Amino acid sequence: MEQAFKVVAYPTARGCAAAYMPEATVLVPLDHTSDISNTPAYKSVVIRFEPDSGPEAVVVS
């Protein structure tokens, strides 16, 4: 599944990203949960940024 997001630069640690919920919940599969608490494992999601055809759009998959 692909979802279009607008990427904005913020001073985050290298290799890290931040997103708002619930808009970013499409990035986390429903069965991707913590073994202990069974809560969604939002802290270990791999994302890839690719340029889209639009001037300000980026696809996250």
Side-chain angles (χ1 to χ4, degrees):
M1 169 195 298
E2 290 186 349
Q3 180 74 32
F5 287 88
K6 181 176 181 178
V7 176
V8 179
Y10 281 96
T12 58
R14 184 179 187 93
C16 294
Y20 287 104
M21 301 300 172
E23 294 86 354
T25 57
V26 297
L27 300 174
V28 183
L30 293 175
D31 62 348
H32 190 67
T33 58
S34 168
D35 293 334
I36 298 171
S37 66
N38 199 36
T39 58
Y42 293 113
K43 293 184 178 184
S44 61
V45 177
V46 177
I47 58 173
R48 182 181 70 220
F49 296 100
E50 297 178 357
D52 194 7
S53 58
E56 296 184 33
V58 173
V59 174
V60 179
S61 61

